[in-house]
Amino acid sequence: NARSRCDHLIVGVTTDELALEAKGASPVIPLRDRMEIVQSMRYVDDVVPQSTMDKLEAQRTLNFDVLFVGENMQGPEWENWETELAATGARVVFLPSTYDESGQLLERTVDDLRDGL
């Protein structure tokens, strides 16, 4: 969906350290492997590690015009990012969420596996 709305799609993949900080658990699949999986998608032009949740820092580094986010993330925090990014000339576009029951099932399975390790 994002690719159809831009000329060049850069995808940020959350680093293991940021995932641990944000969710309290390290990803099961290491960063390098996750980045390779995302890079293999035909719609993706570039993949970068996301080491911070600071969207202004990302905008300064990548100089993007549009930041695509799942609509499930909408809320006060993202309203602030929208305002701050607008001041740089960038905008936030919320896309329909693709996280459904299958995503929840995968998350529960990973949690079960992690608990068993």
Side-chain angles (χ1 to χ4, degrees):
N1 201 339
R3 183 64 174 118
S4 69
R5 299 169 185 236
C6 66
D7 296 326
H8 188 88
L9 182 62
I10 303 170
V11 178
V13 177
T14 302
T15 63
D16 298 345
E17 296 79 15
L18 184 58
L20 178 61
E21 179 184 317
K23 296 188 175 197
S26 295
V28 173
I29 301 170
L31 175 64
R32 183 177 334 139
D33 295 343
R34 289 182 284 123
M35 289 180 67
E36 286 180 21
I37 291 167
V38 173
Q39 184 65 65
S40 72
M41 296 176 188
R42 68 176 178 239
Y43 302 107
V44 175
D45 294 304
D46 290 305
V47 177
V48 296
Q50 176 185 325
S51 58
T52 178
M53 296 302 287
D54 186 333
K55 305 311 177 196
L56 286 176
E57 183 177 324
Q59 202 286 324
R60 283 190 297 272
T61 302
L62 300 170
N63 195 33
F64 57 77
D65 299 318
V66 181
L67 177 64
F68 298 104
V69 182
E71 66 185 2
N72 59 310
M73 300 300 289
Q74 284 182 300
E77 179 180 353
W78 278 96
E79 290 172 11
N80 292 336
W81 287 126
E82 285 181 278
T83 301
E84 292 185 36
L85 286 169
T88 71
R91 61 191 172 96
V92 176
V93 172
F94 292 96
L95 298 175
S97 180
T98 57
Y99 187 80
D100 57 11
E101 290 181 20
S102 62
Q104 293 171 357
L105 176 62
L106 177 60
E107 191 170 278
R108 286 193 303 272
T109 302
V110 168
D111 287 344
D112 290 344
L113 288 169
R114 185 176 283 124
D115 292 342
L117 297 176

